[in-house]
Amino acid sequence: MEVGKPEVTFVLGGPGSGKGTQCGKLVEKHGFIHLSAGDLLREERNSGSKDAELINEYIKEGKIVPVEITCNLLKKAMEANGWDKSRFLIDGFPRSQDNLDGWNEVMGDVVNVSTCLYLNTSEDIMTERILKRAETSGRVDDNEEAVKKRLSTYLESTIPIIKHFEELGKTVEVDSTGEIEDIFSTIETSMKLVEE
Ligand code: C5P
Ligand code: MG
């Protein structure tokens, strides 16, 4: 860990790949601070701020909100949690080249991105999980039509970012098919959080 700089793990994967669930477990057991870009955007939308309407339109369409908004929310949340001596899990970001460029511009020199945790499972499983979650989530984008859009955004825009981190030797890929506990164990060993 570089002295004085917060350490960041990006957590990426399609909708329903298990990002939020696994981040919750990493917080519980390994003391990370979890920031979900999607949660921060929904919070900002619900606050009725000047960006609320725009954010809601993007979310409904499964499109990626301009990075100025998202990166600013992330930065504020990191500051609110204590800037240094912290290990952050940033979930659902960077989802596109625009996200990555905006992040690098603002955060490139002040944080250390150590890892990109990539949760990978099939489109069928992701769709099934989201439609199950739709029964209780109340999210405007948890329905069949929006899931299709979110999956195509993931394939077109997010996969290249995961590949980029792979080229930097930072991507840790975990198969997120199956049971929550089994996936979590694989994450723990793959991220070297426990002895093998
Ligand atoms: O990650 P999550 O499924 O909560 O994201 C929900 C939606 O929030 C995305 O489909 C997208 O519209 C928006 N989002 C975004 N940029 C991000 C993360 C999420 O625009 N980096
Ligand atoms: Mg989530």
mmCIF file of all heavy atoms in Angstrom, residues 5 8 26 30 34 38 41 43 53 56 60 70 83 99 118 139 143 149-150 152 166 194:
data_model
loop_
_atom_site.group_PDB
_atom_site.id
_atom_site.type_symbol
_atom_site.label_atom_id
_atom_site.label_comp_id
_atom_site.label_asym_id
_atom_site.label_seq_id
_atom_site.Cartn_x
_atom_site.Cartn_y
_atom_site.Cartn_z
ATOM 1 N N LYS A 5 -1.867 7.251 0.465
ATOM 2 C CA LYS A 5 -2.915 7.198 -0.556
ATOM 3 C C LYS A 5 -3.921 6.108 -0.212
ATOM 4 O O LYS A 5 -3.532 5.004 0.163
ATOM 5 C CB LYS A 5 -2.303 6.844 -1.921
ATOM 6 C CG LYS A 5 -1.506 7.951 -2.552
ATOM 7 C CD LYS A 5 -1.115 7.555 -3.968
ATOM 8 C CE LYS A 5 -0.238 8.613 -4.604
ATOM 9 N NZ LYS A 5 0.117 8.286 -5.974
ATOM 10 N N VAL A 8 -7.727 1.470 -3.588
ATOM 11 C CA VAL A 8 -9.028 1.240 -4.205
ATOM 12 C C VAL A 8 -9.053 -0.091 -4.960
ATOM 13 O O VAL A 8 -8.137 -0.398 -5.713
ATOM 14 C CB VAL A 8 -9.354 2.388 -5.192
ATOM 15 C CG1 VAL A 8 -10.557 2.043 -6.059
ATOM 16 C CG2 VAL A 8 -9.619 3.691 -4.434
ATOM 17 N N LEU A 26 -17.348 -8.566 2.064
ATOM 18 C CA LEU A 26 -15.950 -8.109 2.192
ATOM 19 C C LEU A 26 -15.834 -7.026 3.268
ATOM 20 O O LEU A 26 -14.847 -6.960 3.999
ATOM 21 C CB LEU A 26 -15.437 -7.584 0.846
ATOM 22 C CG LEU A 26 -15.108 -8.678 -0.180
ATOM 23 C CD1 LEU A 26 -15.005 -8.092 -1.590
ATOM 24 C CD2 LEU A 26 -13.808 -9.402 0.187
ATOM 25 N N HIS A 30 -13.533 -8.146 6.153
ATOM 26 C CA HIS A 30 -12.177 -7.647 5.866
ATOM 27 C C HIS A 30 -12.032 -6.129 5.992
ATOM 28 O O HIS A 30 -11.002 -5.573 5.603
ATOM 29 C CB HIS A 30 -11.720 -8.117 4.485
ATOM 30 C CG HIS A 30 -11.610 -9.611 4.395
ATOM 31 N ND1 HIS A 30 -10.603 -10.326 5.013
ATOM 32 C CD2 HIS A 30 -12.418 -10.538 3.821
ATOM 33 C CE1 HIS A 30 -10.783 -11.619 4.786
ATOM 34 N NE2 HIS A 30 -11.882 -11.776 4.075
ATOM 35 N N HIS A 34 -17.226 0.217 1.502
ATOM 36 C CA HIS A 34 -17.905 -0.081 0.239
ATOM 37 C C HIS A 34 -18.649 1.135 -0.279
ATOM 38 O O HIS A 34 -19.503 1.687 0.414
ATOM 39 C CB HIS A 34 -18.905 -1.231 0.481
ATOM 40 C CG HIS A 34 -19.791 -1.533 -0.679
ATOM 41 N ND1 HIS A 34 -21.086 -1.977 -0.524
ATOM 42 C CD2 HIS A 34 -19.595 -1.454 -2.015
ATOM 43 C CE1 HIS A 34 -21.634 -2.166 -1.720
ATOM 44 N NE2 HIS A 34 -20.749 -1.857 -2.632
ATOM 45 N N GLY A 38 -23.807 2.952 -8.280
ATOM 46 C CA GLY A 38 -25.252 2.919 -8.536
ATOM 47 C C GLY A 38 -26.038 3.434 -7.331
ATOM 48 O O GLY A 38 -26.973 4.232 -7.483
ATOM 49 N N LEU A 41 -25.693 7.177 -7.102
ATOM 50 C CA LEU A 41 -26.498 7.853 -8.133
ATOM 51 C C LEU A 41 -27.981 7.824 -7.768
ATOM 52 O O LEU A 41 -28.688 8.828 -7.921
ATOM 53 C CB LEU A 41 -26.278 7.201 -9.500
ATOM 54 C CG LEU A 41 -24.932 7.494 -10.151
ATOM 55 C CD1 LEU A 41 -24.654 6.535 -11.316
ATOM 56 C CD2 LEU A 41 -24.874 8.946 -10.660
ATOM 57 N N GLU A 43 -29.209 7.662 -4.763
ATOM 58 C CA GLU A 43 -29.359 8.598 -3.637
ATOM 59 C C GLU A 43 -29.433 10.045 -4.138
ATOM 60 O O GLU A 43 -30.280 10.832 -3.701
ATOM 61 C CB GLU A 43 -28.124 8.452 -2.756
ATOM 62 C CG GLU A 43 -28.318 8.554 -1.284
ATOM 63 C CD GLU A 43 -26.988 8.257 -0.581
ATOM 64 O OE1 GLU A 43 -26.711 7.061 -0.317
ATOM 65 O OE2 GLU A 43 -26.230 9.207 -0.348
ATOM 66 N N GLU A 53 -33.145 14.472 -12.451
ATOM 67 C CA GLU A 53 -33.935 14.018 -13.596
ATOM 68 C C GLU A 53 -33.061 13.329 -14.633
ATOM 69 O O GLU A 53 -33.405 12.268 -15.169
ATOM 70 C CB GLU A 53 -34.639 15.226 -14.213
ATOM 71 C CG GLU A 53 -35.947 14.872 -14.860
ATOM 72 C CD GLU A 53 -36.727 16.124 -15.220
ATOM 73 O OE1 GLU A 53 -36.945 16.957 -14.302
ATOM 74 O OE2 GLU A 53 -37.062 16.278 -16.397
ATOM 75 N N ASN A 56 -32.056 9.895 -13.472
ATOM 76 C CA ASN A 56 -33.151 8.926 -13.593
ATOM 77 C C ASN A 56 -33.333 8.457 -15.035
ATOM 78 O O ASN A 56 -33.572 7.276 -15.276
ATOM 79 C CB ASN A 56 -34.451 9.524 -13.057
ATOM 80 C CG ASN A 56 -35.450 8.429 -12.711
ATOM 81 O OD1 ASN A 56 -35.084 7.415 -12.112
ATOM 82 N ND2 ASN A 56 -36.695 8.601 -13.125
ATOM 83 N N LYS A 60 -32.988 4.540 -16.125
ATOM 84 C CA LYS A 60 -34.104 3.821 -16.759
ATOM 85 C C LYS A 60 -33.674 3.163 -18.070
ATOM 86 O O LYS A 60 -34.145 2.103 -18.437
ATOM 87 C CB LYS A 60 -35.267 4.792 -17.036
ATOM 88 C CG LYS A 60 -36.160 4.974 -15.835
ATOM 89 C CD LYS A 60 -37.526 5.526 -16.223
ATOM 90 C CE LYS A 60 -37.404 6.844 -16.955
ATOM 91 N NZ LYS A 60 -38.605 7.654 -17.042
ATOM 92 N N THR A 70 -20.782 11.214 -11.515
ATOM 93 C CA THR A 70 -20.498 10.007 -10.736
ATOM 94 C C THR A 70 -19.186 10.132 -9.965
ATOM 95 O O THR A 70 -19.105 9.770 -8.782
ATOM 96 C CB THR A 70 -20.446 8.781 -11.672
ATOM 97 O OG1 THR A 70 -21.549 8.857 -12.566
ATOM 98 C CG2 THR A 70 -20.490 7.479 -10.888
ATOM 99 N N TRP A 83 -10.270 10.094 4.122
ATOM 100 C CA TRP A 83 -9.573 9.964 2.850
ATOM 101 C C TRP A 83 -8.449 8.937 2.871
ATOM 102 O O TRP A 83 -8.381 8.045 2.034
ATOM 103 C CB TRP A 83 -9.035 11.338 2.443
ATOM 104 C CG TRP A 83 -8.326 11.289 1.152
ATOM 105 C CD1 TRP A 83 -6.989 11.292 0.945
ATOM 106 C CD2 TRP A 83 -8.924 11.192 -0.142
ATOM 107 N NE1 TRP A 83 -6.702 11.202 -0.395
ATOM 108 C CE2 TRP A 83 -7.887 11.144 -1.070
ATOM 109 C CE3 TRP A 83 -10.257 11.125 -0.586
ATOM 110 C CZ2 TRP A 83 -8.112 11.039 -2.446
ATOM 111 C CZ3 TRP A 83 -10.485 11.022 -1.951
ATOM 112 C CH2 TRP A 83 -9.420 10.986 -2.861
ATOM 113 N N ASN A 99 -16.026 6.921 -17.932
ATOM 114 C CA ASN A 99 -15.844 6.779 -16.481
ATOM 115 C C ASN A 99 -14.362 6.720 -16.133
ATOM 116 O O ASN A 99 -13.896 7.403 -15.217
ATOM 117 C CB ASN A 99 -16.487 5.476 -15.970
ATOM 118 C CG ASN A 99 -17.951 5.591 -15.559
ATOM 119 O OD1 ASN A 99 -18.524 4.668 -14.985
ATOM 120 N ND2 ASN A 99 -18.596 6.708 -15.861
ATOM 121 N N TYR A 118 -13.364 -8.831 -10.819
ATOM 122 C CA TYR A 118 -14.326 -9.042 -11.899
ATOM 123 C C TYR A 118 -15.182 -10.264 -11.587
ATOM 124 O O TYR A 118 -14.686 -11.390 -11.565
ATOM 125 C CB TYR A 118 -13.555 -9.223 -13.220
ATOM 126 C CG TYR A 118 -14.365 -9.693 -14.394
ATOM 127 C CD1 TYR A 118 -15.709 -9.353 -14.553
ATOM 128 C CD2 TYR A 118 -13.769 -10.462 -15.396
ATOM 129 C CE1 TYR A 118 -16.432 -9.783 -15.654
ATOM 130 C CE2 TYR A 118 -14.485 -10.887 -16.504
ATOM 131 C CZ TYR A 118 -15.815 -10.552 -16.621
ATOM 132 O OH TYR A 118 -16.536 -10.982 -17.707
ATOM 133 N N ARG A 139 -36.729 -1.111 -7.916
ATOM 134 C CA ARG A 139 -35.876 -0.326 -8.819
ATOM 135 C C ARG A 139 -36.506 -0.172 -10.199
ATOM 136 O O ARG A 139 -37.040 -1.127 -10.752
ATOM 137 C CB ARG A 139 -34.496 -1.002 -8.941
ATOM 138 C CG ARG A 139 -33.572 -0.637 -7.798
ATOM 139 C CD ARG A 139 -32.234 -1.330 -7.881
ATOM 140 N NE ARG A 139 -31.547 -1.166 -9.172
ATOM 141 C CZ ARG A 139 -30.276 -1.471 -9.359
ATOM 142 N NH1 ARG A 139 -29.547 -1.934 -8.363
ATOM 143 N NH2 ARG A 139 -29.721 -1.311 -10.540
ATOM 144 N N ASN A 143 -36.301 -4.769 -14.529
ATOM 145 C CA ASN A 143 -37.365 -5.415 -15.298
ATOM 146 C C ASN A 143 -36.718 -5.922 -16.587
ATOM 147 O O ASN A 143 -35.599 -5.532 -16.912
ATOM 148 C CB ASN A 143 -38.509 -4.434 -15.589
ATOM 149 C CG ASN A 143 -38.001 -3.209 -16.318
ATOM 150 O OD1 ASN A 143 -37.566 -3.276 -17.471
ATOM 151 N ND2 ASN A 143 -38.005 -2.065 -15.637
ATOM 152 N N LYS A 149 -31.057 -3.879 -21.768
ATOM 153 C CA LYS A 149 -30.247 -2.678 -22.055
ATOM 154 C C LYS A 149 -29.002 -2.650 -21.177
ATOM 155 O O LYS A 149 -27.908 -2.306 -21.630
ATOM 156 C CB LYS A 149 -31.077 -1.414 -21.825
ATOM 157 C CG LYS A 149 -32.236 -1.274 -22.807
ATOM 158 C CD LYS A 149 -33.071 -0.048 -22.497
ATOM 159 C CE LYS A 149 -34.252 0.055 -23.446
ATOM 160 N NZ LYS A 149 -35.247 1.029 -22.982
ATOM 161 N N ARG A 150 -29.181 -2.992 -19.911
ATOM 162 C CA ARG A 150 -28.035 -2.969 -18.988
ATOM 163 C C ARG A 150 -27.001 -4.008 -19.390
ATOM 164 O O ARG A 150 -25.788 -3.760 -19.297
ATOM 165 C CB ARG A 150 -28.525 -3.212 -17.549
ATOM 166 C CG ARG A 150 -29.334 -2.036 -17.011
ATOM 167 C CD ARG A 150 -30.180 -2.412 -15.816
ATOM 168 N NE ARG A 150 -29.376 -2.731 -14.652
ATOM 169 C CZ ARG A 150 -29.871 -3.322 -13.559
ATOM 170 N NH1 ARG A 150 -31.143 -3.671 -13.495
ATOM 171 N NH2 ARG A 150 -29.085 -3.562 -12.537
ATOM 172 N N SER A 152 -26.457 -5.063 -22.446
ATOM 173 C CA SER A 152 -25.720 -4.652 -23.644
ATOM 174 C C SER A 152 -24.746 -3.515 -23.329
ATOM 175 O O SER A 152 -23.636 -3.482 -23.876
ATOM 176 C CB SER A 152 -26.648 -4.372 -24.835
ATOM 177 O OG SER A 152 -27.246 -3.142 -24.693
ATOM 178 N N GLU A 166 -6.950 -5.907 -16.964
ATOM 179 C CA GLU A 166 -6.279 -7.198 -17.137
ATOM 180 C C GLU A 166 -4.892 -6.968 -17.751
ATOM 181 O O GLU A 166 -3.903 -7.557 -17.316
ATOM 182 C CB GLU A 166 -7.132 -8.059 -18.047
ATOM 183 C CG GLU A 166 -6.842 -9.533 -17.968
ATOM 184 C CD GLU A 166 -7.857 -10.308 -18.803
ATOM 185 O OE1 GLU A 166 -9.075 -9.989 -18.743
ATOM 186 O OE2 GLU A 166 -7.415 -11.210 -19.516
ATOM 187 N N VAL A 194 -6.916 -14.267 2.433
ATOM 188 C CA VAL A 194 -6.691 -15.365 3.368
ATOM 189 C C VAL A 194 -5.617 -16.282 2.774
ATOM 190 O O VAL A 194 -5.337 -16.225 1.582
ATOM 191 C CB VAL A 194 -7.990 -16.222 3.580
ATOM 192 C CG1 VAL A 194 -9.047 -15.429 4.312
ATOM 193 C CG2 VAL A 194 -8.522 -16.730 2.249
#
